Amino acid sequence: TGLVKTAYRTDAKGTGPAARRTVLYWKHPDGDADFSQEPRKTPDGRDYVPVYDNQEADFKEAQPKQVSKAKDGSRKILYYRNPMGLADTSPVPKKDWMGMDYIPVYEGEDEPGTVTVSLDKVQRSGVRTAPVERRSLVQAVRAPGTAKPDERSLRIVSLRADGFVEKLYVNETGKHVKTGDKLFRIYSPQIVTAQIDFRTSTIPGGGPRSESGALQKLRNLDVPEAVIEALRKDPTPQMSIDWPSPSTGVVMQKRVIEGQMAKAGEELYRIADLTNIWVIADIAEQDLDLVRIGAPATVSFRAYPGRTFEGRVTFVLHELDMSTRTAKVRIEVHNPEHIIKHEMYADVEISARVGDAARLVVPASAVIDSGNRQVVIVAKGEGRFQPRPVKLGMRGGDMIEILDGVTEGEEVVTAANFLIDAESNLKAALQAFTQPAAAETKQ
């Protein structure tokens, strides 16, 4: 029967047993805060005094104030727990070795799997909690990228008539030009003839030709408006024309040499505006569903460590690269200083699922993940904690979505949760160890 002892009490005449009593524990004969689970003696040789179950009932009746500590006076005391949070309980009021009273546990407070830790230990362990709340998760999609020119800003400079390049004003690749800046001086017989036709059409009695037809011919040859305005003021044709830049940007390619003959339609310059550039990111196939048009992105270039550039997703290509199983995603980045060069390698981070509905989340540090088991520690208050299995959803930054296991408003432990989980596992192991013994004692 273990440590549980029984004794028989005779009736009033002393002729036989009237009741069967059970020894719960032995206490010090002087009433000191010293208890034992088995018979023992004091250092001076005196026996410890047994305490029977009916004596505990008498003790409770004699001290009604101890029981009345319940909040509503109707709850039943189940047992008393160690004030320091140790895995030690008592069915009766007692003190620990330091003289501290065991704490009563009332009916309804001892939930299955709950572990109790003293407030002093909670403070010393650095336990911190955070609420379970609803918020929108932003998931980061990271990918490599390459800087490219904005195709919408590319301009090619060419002639619509054959001509001879007499002088180059822009004679180097990479030069920055503005709209209207002189690029080269050209002599074109066809353009000179068109000017003469325009002059003739404007002379009174000059023939059936109309001014509008001659003017349209000049514009068809893409003659600069400055030359046409000069013809209106002075009918003398210009033999050589200074050709202006059609846009502002940087000369990316120069395919003209001073003195050469330029054929109609031949590319002479290629100009690109670098105020905005494109970063083409290679997004993995499994992350493609997370990327949305308009999603914000942060771009960093290896040439500028520690510096980031903000951009937005403007296009997702409609096909995958068969060899890498990635999709091309275009990100437009503002580049007013023109420091981002074409073909630069970039590291891209796209904020995915921006604007999605709020989700039930907890800090990532609150989840204890052993691979096949995900647990959070729910703080029940007054030093009570309950490990609770959860089902995880998507992860965003330092937050994790919880699909099942907790409710909004509950507090979860974010620091020292491994210590509480270990103590809970110890409590479960002790309960599994002591339950067979308790069943054996009842038999």
Side-chain angles (χ1 to χ4, degrees):
T1 59
L3 298 178
V4 179
K5 306 297 182 180
T6 60
Y8 291 93
R9 182 176 58 185
T10 60
D11 56 11
K13 296 181 180 180
T15 59
R20 182 175 180 176
R21 297 190 298 170
T22 302
V23 178
L24 298 177
Y25 58 91
W26 282 261
K27 66 180 180 179
H28 195 280
D30 294 336
D32 296 343
D34 187 7
F35 306 91
S36 174
Q37 294 293 329
E38 59 185 14
R40 58 180 293 189
K41 293 181 180 294
T42 63
D44 56 2
R46 292 180 296 159
D47 291 327
Y48 273 50
V49 179
V51 178
Y52 300 97
D53 53 354
N54 64 331
Q55 288 179 315
E56 285 301 330
D58 296 340
F59 177 80
K60 292 180 181 178
E61 292 176 1
Q63 298 188 24
K65 294 181 180 179
Q66 180 73 19
V67 181
S68 64
K69 289 183 179 179
K71 295 179 180 178
D72 55 5
S74 62
R75 291 189 298 170
K76 178 183 177 182
I77 295 179
L78 299 177
Y79 58 88
Y80 297 82
R81 61 178 175 84
N82 190 291
M84 297 302 293
L86 301 178
D88 179 21
T89 62
S90 172
V92 296
K94 61 181 290 188
K95 298 179 181 291
D96 66 359
W97 64 276
M98 295 186 299
M100 299 174 62
D101 291 326
Y102 272 48
I103 301 172
V105 176
Y106 297 95
E107 187 176 19
E109 290 184 342
D110 191 32
E111 299 181 25
T114 301
V115 62
T116 302
V117 181
S118 67
L119 297 180
D120 179 63
K121 189 174 182 180
V122 169
Q123 185 175 8
R124 286 188 286 107
S125 301
V127 175
R128 293 193 297 273
T129 62
V132 180
E133 58 184 352
R134 290 191 177 274
R135 67 164 63 177
S136 297
L137 282 185
V138 178
Q139 189 171 0
V141 175
R142 297 177 177 85
T146 307
K148 299 288 184 181
D150 185 345
E151 296 176 0
R152 298 169 299 184
S153 69
L154 290 177
R155 289 295 303 270
I156 290 178
V157 179
S158 62
L159 298 175
R160 298 183 181 180
D162 296 343
F164 298 89
V165 179
E166 296 180 345
K167 183 175 179 60
L168 285 181
Y169 297 108
V170 177
N171 199 17
E172 58 187 80
T173 302
K175 186 176 180 63
H176 187 272
V177 295
K178 297 180 180 179
T179 302
D181 287 353
K182 295 184 294 185
L183 297 178
F184 55 86
R185 179 176 295 170
I186 186 76
Y187 164 70
S188 172
Q190 190 175 351
I191 294 178
V192 172
T193 301
Q195 293 182 72
I196 294 175
D197 291 343
F198 179 78
R199 184 190 63 176
T200 304
S201 66
T202 58
I203 297 176
R209 294 189 181 116
S210 64
E211 178 182 350
S212 60
L215 179 61
Q216 187 61 44
K217 184 177 181 180
L218 288 174
R219 288 178 173 165
N220 289 343
L221 293 174
D222 200 23
V223 176
E225 284 294 330
V227 175
I228 297 176
E229 292 297 326
L231 283 175
R232 287 195 173 110
K233 297 178 181 178
D234 184 359
T236 304
Q238 299 183 31
M239 304 302 294
S240 298
I241 298 174
D242 289 334
W243 208 264
S245 172
S247 63
T248 299
V250 175
V251 176
M252 305 301 298
Q253 293 181 4
K254 182 186 79 71
R255 296 179 178 177
V256 58
I257 300 175
E258 190 172 298
Q260 80 174 56
M261 177 183 177
K263 297 261 183 202
E266 183 179 7
E267 179 181 330
L268 304 180
Y269 292 94
R270 178 170 294 193
I271 301 173
D273 187 1
L274 301 182
T275 303
N276 291 301
I277 60 100
W278 287 351
V279 174
I280 308 301
D282 296 316
I283 304 297
E285 183 177 2
Q286 62 268 23
D287 294 332
L288 193 57
D289 183 57
L290 301 175
V291 180
R292 299 286 187 272
I293 302 296
T298 301
V299 182
S300 59
F301 295 92
R302 300 171 190 179
Y304 308 110
R307 185 171 180 178
T308 58
F309 300 82
E310 302 300 323
R312 286 196 173 273
V313 176
T314 58
F315 184 75
V316 178
L317 199 64
H318 299 96
E319 60 181 351
L320 294 181
D321 189 308
M322 292 295 295
S323 59
T324 62
R325 305 307 301 171
T326 58
K328 302 293 184 181
V329 174
R330 181 196 304 161
I331 301 168
E332 187 172 335
V333 179
H334 199 45
N335 182 37
E337 300 175 7
H338 297 175
I339 63 174
I340 302 176
K341 314 300 181 184
H342 298 161
E343 305 303 328
M344 270 187 173
Y345 286 119
D347 295 313
V348 178
E349 182 176 305
I350 301 174
S351 299
R353 297 192 183 278
V354 175
D356 283 4
R359 303 167 184 266
L360 196 66
V361 298
V362 299
S365 58
V367 178
I368 303 174
D369 191 347
S370 62
N372 57 357
R373 175 176 176 263
Q374 294 79 38
V375 174
V376 297
I377 306 297
V378 179
K380 309 294 291 185
E382 299 179 357
R384 294 180 298 119
F385 301 91
Q386 183 184 35
R388 195 178 296 174
V390 293
K391 183 178 180 181
L392 304 183
M394 67 173 290
R395 183 187 297 262
D398 58 350
M399 306 297 288
I400 298 181
E401 180 186 9
I402 302 296
L403 300 177
D404 185 36
V406 295
T407 58
E408 185 177 2
E410 288 187 306
E411 292 284 332
V412 293
V413 179
T414 59
N417 44 2
F418 284 95
L419 298 176
I420 299 175
D421 186 51
E423 189 157 342
S424 173
N425 292 336
L426 176 61
K427 177 183 177 182
L430 289 175
Q431 287 178 346
F433 178 77
T434 57
Q435 281 174 359
E440 182 181 349
T441 302
K442 292 180 180 179
Q443 292 178 359

